[in-house]
Amino acid sequence: MYRNFIFASCLALAGMLAGCQKAATPAETSNTDSVSQKNAVVETIMERRSIRKYKPQAIEKEKLDEIIRCGIYAPNGMGRESWEVRFVTRPELLARIDTLYADYMEKTQGKRPAAAAYGAPAVAFIAYDTTYDLSQVDCGLLGGNMLLAAKSMGIGSCCLGGICRFLNAPEGAEIMKELDFPETYKLLYAIAFGYPDESPKAKERTPEKVRLIQ
Ligand SMILES: Cc1cc2nc3c(=O)[nH]c(=O)nc-3n(C[C@H](O)[C@H](O)[C@H](O)COP(=O)(O)O)c2cc1C
């Protein structure tokens, strides 16, 4: 029994040493540190970037389903799930949004963008419940989960606020009718999804904006 204990202790010590050695190894990727090194979730968070150039390749149905599932399992106030999402992959509808958005931008800004959602093959339109004061938080958390789930599968994404200004304007009414949100819901933002065709660097953050009070 004593021999078993010695053997188990040696194994545990070897394991600890191996663990220490791993922790001391420099991070393999640019945005991870020693804490995140073996943590896939932290690594996914730190490596996600907004993608503004996509391959035309469609996202597989099962991956889209998984992204949606991760979205709706986000925390949500009072369990109300106060979001409505329309996940558009229909090329004809995305092309029509591009054209109407370009018309709108030309009229209001004097320039015509090539695409409303950077040519992404899938766009999620996320609307919040105007009758619930914390609904925008729910929608943000849902989207955050979707971005990270997508990233973990090699799929890029970009939140889009600008496109919603157009869709909420009279010029967007035709598309909004098709998205068919309930009457009390208002479009908050969209998220473009697709396989990335670029690898942008992380933008600097401002850690001083968060104070640790201890
Ligand atoms: C609410 C919101 C709206 C955004 N709207 C746009 C947009 O209209 N167009 C765009 O290219 N990026 C948009 N972004 C992406 C931000 O520009 C991007 O997240 C930020 O610059 C940080 O870069 P990162 O996502 O690569 O870390 C938006 C992000 C958020 C959260």
Side-chain angles (χ1 to χ4, degrees):
M1 186 157 155
Y2 179 69
R3 229 181 323 144
N4 280 350
F5 172 75
I6 298 280
F7 181 63
S9 301
C10 286
L11 269 185
L13 188 63
M16 277 165 64
L17 284 174
C20 287
Q21 264 176 349
K22 267 190 193 141
T25 309
E28 277 165 26
T29 49
S30 54
N31 300 314
T32 53
D33 59 21
S34 57
V35 176
S36 63
Q37 202 173 20
K38 286 191 292 172
N39 183 322
V41 176
V42 176
E43 213 163 276
T44 301
I45 290 169
M46 298 310 289
E47 293 300 316
R48 183 212 56 82
R49 303 272 71 83
S50 288
I51 298 300
R52 298 184 175 87
K53 199 164 177 238
Y54 294 94
K55 293 180 178 155
Q57 183 186 348
I59 301 174
E60 299 82 344
K61 172 72 168 58
E62 59 277 15
K63 290 189 180 170
L64 278 182
D65 288 344
E66 193 70 336
I67 290 168
I68 292 167
R69 199 165 70 95
C70 289
I72 64 174
Y73 273 82
N76 57 94
M78 299 166 75
R80 287 170 69 143
E81 300 175 60
S82 72
W83 45 62
E84 284 280 339
V85 183
R86 305 292 178 262
F87 221 117
V88 179
T89 60
R90 193 187 302 158
E92 175 274 322
L93 181 53
L94 292 174
R96 201 140 44 86
I97 292 171
D98 280 350
T99 306
L100 290 172
Y101 180 65
D103 292 346
Y104 171 82
M105 290 298 281
E106 193 169 35
K107 192 172 114 187
T108 58
Q109 316 277 316
K111 53 181 183 224
R112 208 175 163 79
Y118 300 112
V123 184
F125 294 91
I126 300 161
Y128 74 99
D129 182 353
T130 56
T131 69
Y132 175 44
D133 60 349
L134 296 177
S135 179
Q136 296 193 13
V137 178
D138 286 359
C139 291
L141 291 168
L142 164 121
N145 270 16
M146 293 205 293
L147 306 181
L148 295 175
K151 172 68 189 171
S152 76
M153 298 174 213
I155 295 164
S157 62
C158 186
C159 291
L160 303 167
I163 188 182
C164 297
R165 289 193 195 103
F166 144 67
L167 288 170
N168 284 323
E171 289 86 345
E174 170 194 326
I175 302 295
M176 287 300 281
K177 197 162 174 247
E178 268 179 73
L179 296 180
D180 192 29
F181 288 114
E183 209 175 304
T184 58
Y185 278 73
K186 187 171 184 220
L187 184 63
L188 182 62
Y189 70 121
I191 308 178
F193 291 95
Y195 286 99
D197 202 13
E198 63 168 2
S199 320
K201 288 219 165 68
K203 285 189 184 126
E204 292 263 322
R205 297 308 207 250
T206 316
E208 304 78 41
K209 289 179 80 74
V210 181
R211 290 191 205 158
L212 186 57
I213 301 175
Q214 56 184 1

CSV table of all heavy atoms in Angstrom, one decimal, residues 45 48-52 101 116 118 147 157-165 188-190 200-205, ligand 1:
chain,number,residue,atom,x,y,z
A,45,ILE,N,-11.8,33.6,-28.0
A,45,ILE,CA,-12.2,35.0,-27.7
A,45,ILE,C,-11.0,35.9,-28.2
A,45,ILE,O,-11.3,36.9,-28.9
A,45,ILE,CB,-12.4,35.3,-26.2
A,45,ILE,CG1,-13.7,34.6,-25.8
A,45,ILE,CG2,-12.4,36.8,-25.9
A,45,ILE,CD1,-13.9,34.5,-24.3
A,48,ARG,N,-10.6,36.0,-32.2
A,48,ARG,CA,-11.7,36.5,-33.0
A,48,ARG,C,-11.4,38.0,-33.5
A,48,ARG,O,-10.9,38.8,-32.7
A,48,ARG,CB,-13.0,36.5,-32.3
A,48,ARG,CG,-14.2,37.0,-33.1
A,48,ARG,CD,-15.3,37.7,-32.3
A,48,ARG,NE,-14.7,38.8,-31.6
A,48,ARG,CZ,-14.5,40.0,-32.1
A,48,ARG,NH1,-14.9,40.3,-33.4
A,48,ARG,NH2,-14.0,41.0,-31.4
A,49,ARG,N,-11.7,38.2,-34.7
A,49,ARG,CA,-11.5,39.6,-35.3
A,49,ARG,C,-12.7,39.8,-36.2
A,49,ARG,O,-13.3,38.9,-36.7
A,49,ARG,CB,-10.3,39.7,-36.2
A,49,ARG,CG,-8.9,39.4,-35.6
A,49,ARG,CD,-8.3,40.6,-34.9
A,49,ARG,NE,-9.0,41.0,-33.7
A,49,ARG,CZ,-8.9,40.5,-32.5
A,49,ARG,NH1,-8.1,39.5,-32.3
A,49,ARG,NH2,-9.6,40.9,-31.5
A,50,SER,N,-13.1,41.1,-36.4
A,50,SER,CA,-14.1,41.4,-37.4
A,50,SER,C,-13.6,41.1,-38.8
A,50,SER,O,-12.5,41.6,-39.1
A,50,SER,CB,-14.6,42.8,-37.2
A,50,SER,OG,-15.3,43.0,-36.1
A,51,ILE,N,-14.3,40.4,-39.5
A,51,ILE,CA,-13.9,40.0,-40.9
A,51,ILE,C,-14.7,40.8,-41.9
A,51,ILE,O,-15.9,40.8,-41.9
A,51,ILE,CB,-14.1,38.5,-41.1
A,51,ILE,CG1,-13.2,37.7,-40.1
A,51,ILE,CG2,-13.7,38.0,-42.5
A,51,ILE,CD1,-11.7,37.9,-40.2
A,52,ARG,N,-13.9,41.4,-42.8
A,52,ARG,CA,-14.6,42.3,-43.8
A,52,ARG,C,-14.3,41.8,-45.2
A,52,ARG,O,-14.5,42.5,-46.2
A,52,ARG,CB,-14.2,43.7,-43.6
A,52,ARG,CG,-14.7,44.2,-42.2
A,52,ARG,CD,-14.4,45.7,-42.0
A,52,ARG,NE,-14.9,46.2,-40.7
A,52,ARG,CZ,-14.3,46.1,-39.5
A,52,ARG,NH1,-13.1,45.6,-39.5
A,52,ARG,NH2,-14.9,46.5,-38.4
A,101,TYR,N,-29.3,48.9,-50.4
A,101,TYR,CA,-28.4,49.6,-49.5
A,101,TYR,C,-27.5,50.6,-50.2
A,101,TYR,O,-27.2,51.7,-49.8
A,101,TYR,CB,-27.5,48.6,-48.7
A,101,TYR,CG,-26.5,49.2,-47.7
A,101,TYR,CD1,-27.0,49.9,-46.6
A,101,TYR,CD2,-25.2,49.0,-47.9
A,101,TYR,CE1,-26.1,50.4,-45.7
A,101,TYR,CE2,-24.3,49.5,-47.0
A,101,TYR,CZ,-24.7,50.2,-45.9
A,101,TYR,OH,-23.8,50.7,-45.0
A,116,ALA,N,-23.6,45.3,-48.8
A,116,ALA,CA,-24.0,45.7,-47.5
A,116,ALA,C,-23.4,45.0,-46.3
A,116,ALA,O,-23.2,45.5,-45.2
A,116,ALA,CB,-25.6,45.6,-47.4
A,118,TYR,N,-20.4,43.0,-46.7
A,118,TYR,CA,-19.1,42.6,-47.2
A,118,TYR,C,-19.1,41.3,-48.0
A,118,TYR,O,-18.2,40.5,-48.0
A,118,TYR,CB,-18.1,42.4,-46.0
A,118,TYR,CG,-17.9,43.7,-45.2
A,118,TYR,CD1,-18.3,43.9,-43.9
A,118,TYR,CD2,-17.2,44.8,-45.8
A,118,TYR,CE1,-18.2,45.0,-43.2
A,118,TYR,CE2,-17.0,46.0,-45.2
A,118,TYR,CZ,-17.5,46.1,-43.9
A,118,TYR,OH,-17.3,47.3,-43.2
A,147,LEU,N,-20.9,34.8,-32.5
A,147,LEU,CA,-19.5,35.2,-33.0
A,147,LEU,C,-18.5,34.2,-32.6
A,147,LEU,O,-17.7,33.7,-33.4
A,147,LEU,CB,-19.1,36.5,-32.6
A,147,LEU,CG,-19.9,37.8,-32.7
A,147,LEU,CD1,-19.1,39.0,-32.2
A,147,LEU,CD2,-20.2,38.0,-34.1
A,157,SER,N,-16.8,36.6,-38.8
A,157,SER,CA,-18.1,37.3,-38.6
A,157,SER,C,-17.7,38.8,-38.5
A,157,SER,O,-16.6,39.2,-38.3
A,157,SER,CB,-18.7,36.8,-37.4
A,157,SER,OG,-17.9,37.1,-36.3
A,158,CYS,N,-18.8,39.6,-38.7
A,158,CYS,CA,-18.6,41.1,-38.4
A,158,CYS,C,-20.0,41.6,-38.0
A,158,CYS,O,-21.0,41.4,-38.7
A,158,CYS,CB,-18.1,41.8,-39.6
A,158,CYS,SG,-17.7,43.5,-39.3
A,159,CYS,N,-20.0,42.3,-36.8
A,159,CYS,CA,-21.3,43.0,-36.4
A,159,CYS,C,-21.5,44.1,-37.4
A,159,CYS,O,-20.5,44.8,-37.8
A,159,CYS,CB,-21.1,43.5,-35.0
A,159,CYS,SG,-21.1,42.2,-33.8
A,160,LEU,N,-22.7,44.4,-37.7
A,160,LEU,CA,-23.0,45.5,-38.6
A,160,LEU,C,-24.1,46.4,-38.0
A,160,LEU,O,-25.3,45.9,-37.8
A,160,LEU,CB,-23.5,44.9,-40.0
A,160,LEU,CG,-22.6,44.0,-40.7
A,160,LEU,CD1,-23.3,43.2,-41.8
A,160,LEU,CD2,-21.4,44.7,-41.2
A,161,GLY,N,-23.7,47.6,-37.7
A,161,GLY,CA,-24.7,48.6,-37.3
A,161,GLY,C,-25.3,49.4,-38.4
A,161,GLY,O,-26.5,49.7,-38.5
A,162,GLY,N,-24.4,49.8,-39.3
A,162,GLY,CA,-24.7,50.7,-40.4
A,162,GLY,C,-25.9,50.3,-41.2
A,162,GLY,O,-26.8,51.0,-41.5
A,163,ILE,N,-25.9,49.0,-41.6
A,163,ILE,CA,-26.9,48.5,-42.4
A,163,ILE,C,-28.3,48.6,-41.8
A,163,ILE,O,-29.3,48.7,-42.5
A,163,ILE,CB,-26.6,47.0,-42.8
A,163,ILE,CG1,-27.5,46.4,-43.8
A,163,ILE,CG2,-26.6,46.1,-41.6
A,163,ILE,CD1,-27.3,44.9,-44.1
A,164,CYS,N,-28.3,48.6,-40.5
A,164,CYS,CA,-29.6,48.7,-39.8
A,164,CYS,C,-30.2,50.1,-39.8
A,164,CYS,O,-31.5,50.2,-39.8
A,164,CYS,CB,-29.5,48.2,-38.4
A,164,CYS,SG,-29.0,46.4,-38.4
A,165,ARG,N,-29.4,51.1,-40.0
A,165,ARG,CA,-29.9,52.5,-40.1
A,165,ARG,C,-30.7,52.5,-41.4
A,165,ARG,O,-31.7,53.1,-41.5
A,165,ARG,CB,-28.7,53.5,-40.1
A,165,ARG,CG,-28.1,53.6,-38.8
A,165,ARG,CD,-27.2,54.8,-38.7
A,165,ARG,NE,-26.4,54.6,-37.4
A,165,ARG,CZ,-25.2,54.2,-37.4
A,165,ARG,NH1,-24.5,54.0,-38.5
A,165,ARG,NH2,-24.6,54.0,-36.3
A,188,LEU,N,-32.0,45.8,-34.3
A,188,LEU,CA,-30.9,46.4,-33.5
A,188,LEU,C,-29.6,46.4,-34.3
A,188,LEU,O,-28.9,47.4,-34.4
A,188,LEU,CB,-30.8,45.7,-32.2
A,188,LEU,CG,-29.7,46.2,-31.2
A,188,LEU,CD1,-30.1,47.6,-30.8
A,188,LEU,CD2,-29.7,45.3,-30.0
A,189,TYR,N,-29.2,45.2,-34.7
A,189,TYR,CA,-27.9,45.1,-35.5
A,189,TYR,C,-28.0,43.8,-36.3
A,189,TYR,O,-28.9,43.0,-36.2
A,189,TYR,CB,-26.7,45.1,-34.6
A,189,TYR,CG,-26.5,43.9,-33.7
A,189,TYR,CD1,-25.3,43.2,-33.7
A,189,TYR,CD2,-27.4,43.6,-32.7
A,189,TYR,CE1,-25.0,42.1,-32.9
A,189,TYR,CE2,-27.2,42.5,-31.8
A,189,TYR,CZ,-26.0,41.8,-31.9
A,189,TYR,OH,-25.8,40.7,-31.1
A,190,ALA,N,-27.0,43.7,-37.1
A,190,ALA,CA,-26.9,42.4,-38.0
A,190,ALA,C,-25.5,41.9,-37.8
A,190,ALA,O,-24.6,42.5,-37.3
A,190,ALA,CB,-27.1,42.8,-39.4
A,200,PRO,N,-7.1,39.9,-40.3
A,200,PRO,CA,-6.7,41.2,-39.7
A,200,PRO,C,-6.1,41.0,-38.3
A,200,PRO,O,-6.4,40.1,-37.6
A,200,PRO,CB,-8.0,42.0,-39.6
A,200,PRO,CG,-9.1,41.0,-39.7
A,200,PRO,CD,-8.5,39.8,-40.4
A,201,LYS,N,-5.2,42.0,-38.0
A,201,LYS,CA,-4.6,42.0,-36.6
A,201,LYS,C,-5.6,42.6,-35.6
A,201,LYS,O,-6.5,43.3,-36.0
A,201,LYS,CB,-3.4,42.9,-36.7
A,201,LYS,CG,-2.2,42.3,-37.4
A,201,LYS,CD,-0.9,42.6,-36.7
A,201,LYS,CE,0.2,41.8,-37.2
A,201,LYS,NZ,0.6,42.1,-38.6
A,202,ALA,N,-5.4,42.3,-34.4
A,202,ALA,CA,-6.2,42.8,-33.3
A,202,ALA,C,-6.1,44.3,-33.1
A,202,ALA,O,-4.9,44.8,-33.3
A,202,ALA,CB,-5.9,42.1,-32.0
A,203,LYS,N,-7.2,45.0,-32.9
A,203,LYS,CA,-7.1,46.4,-32.6
A,203,LYS,C,-6.7,46.5,-31.1
A,203,LYS,O,-7.2,45.7,-30.3
A,203,LYS,CB,-8.4,47.1,-32.8
A,203,LYS,CG,-8.7,47.3,-34.3
A,203,LYS,CD,-9.9,48.1,-34.6
A,203,LYS,CE,-10.1,48.2,-36.0
A,203,LYS,NZ,-11.5,47.8,-36.4
A,204,GLU,N,-5.9,47.5,-30.8
A,204,GLU,CA,-5.5,47.7,-29.4
A,204,GLU,C,-6.7,48.0,-28.5
A,204,GLU,O,-7.7,48.6,-29.0
A,204,GLU,CB,-4.6,49.0,-29.3
A,204,GLU,CG,-3.2,48.8,-30.0
A,204,GLU,CD,-2.2,48.4,-29.0
A,204,GLU,OE1,-2.2,49.0,-27.9
A,204,GLU,OE2,-1.3,47.6,-29.3
A,205,ARG,N,-6.7,47.5,-27.3
A,205,ARG,CA,-7.8,47.8,-26.4
A,205,ARG,C,-7.2,48.7,-25.3
A,205,ARG,O,-6.0,49.0,-25.2
A,205,ARG,CB,-8.3,46.5,-25.8
A,205,ARG,CG,-9.0,45.6,-26.8
A,205,ARG,CD,-10.0,46.2,-27.6
A,205,ARG,NE,-11.0,45.3,-28.1
A,205,ARG,CZ,-11.2,44.9,-29.4
A,205,ARG,NH1,-10.4,45.4,-30.3
A,205,ARG,NH2,-12.2,44.1,-29.7
B,1,LIG,C1,-22.7,47.3,-32.3
B,1,LIG,C2,-21.6,47.2,-33.3
B,1,LIG,C3,-21.8,47.7,-34.6
B,1,LIG,C4,-20.8,47.6,-35.6
B,1,LIG,N1,-21.0,48.1,-36.8
B,1,LIG,C5,-20.1,47.9,-37.8
B,1,LIG,C6,-20.4,48.3,-39.1
B,1,LIG,O1,-21.4,48.8,-39.5
B,1,LIG,N2,-19.4,48.0,-40.1
B,1,LIG,C7,-18.2,47.4,-39.8
B,1,LIG,O2,-17.4,47.2,-40.7
B,1,LIG,N3,-18.0,47.0,-38.5
B,1,LIG,C8,-18.9,47.2,-37.5
B,1,LIG,N4,-18.6,46.7,-36.2
B,1,LIG,C9,-17.4,46.0,-35.9
B,1,LIG,C10,-16.4,46.9,-35.1
B,1,LIG,O3,-15.9,47.9,-35.9
B,1,LIG,C11,-15.3,46.0,-34.5
B,1,LIG,O4,-15.9,45.1,-33.7
B,1,LIG,C12,-14.3,46.9,-33.7
B,1,LIG,O5,-13.6,47.7,-34.5
B,1,LIG,C13,-13.3,45.9,-33.0
B,1,LIG,O6,-12.6,45.1,-33.9
B,1,LIG,P1,-12.6,43.5,-33.7
B,1,LIG,O7,-14.1,43.1,-33.8
B,1,LIG,O8,-11.8,43.0,-34.9
B,1,LIG,O9,-12.0,43.1,-32.4
B,1,LIG,C14,-19.6,46.9,-35.3
B,1,LIG,C15,-19.4,46.3,-34.0
B,1,LIG,C16,-20.4,46.4,-33.1
B,1,LIG,C17,-20.3,45.8,-31.7
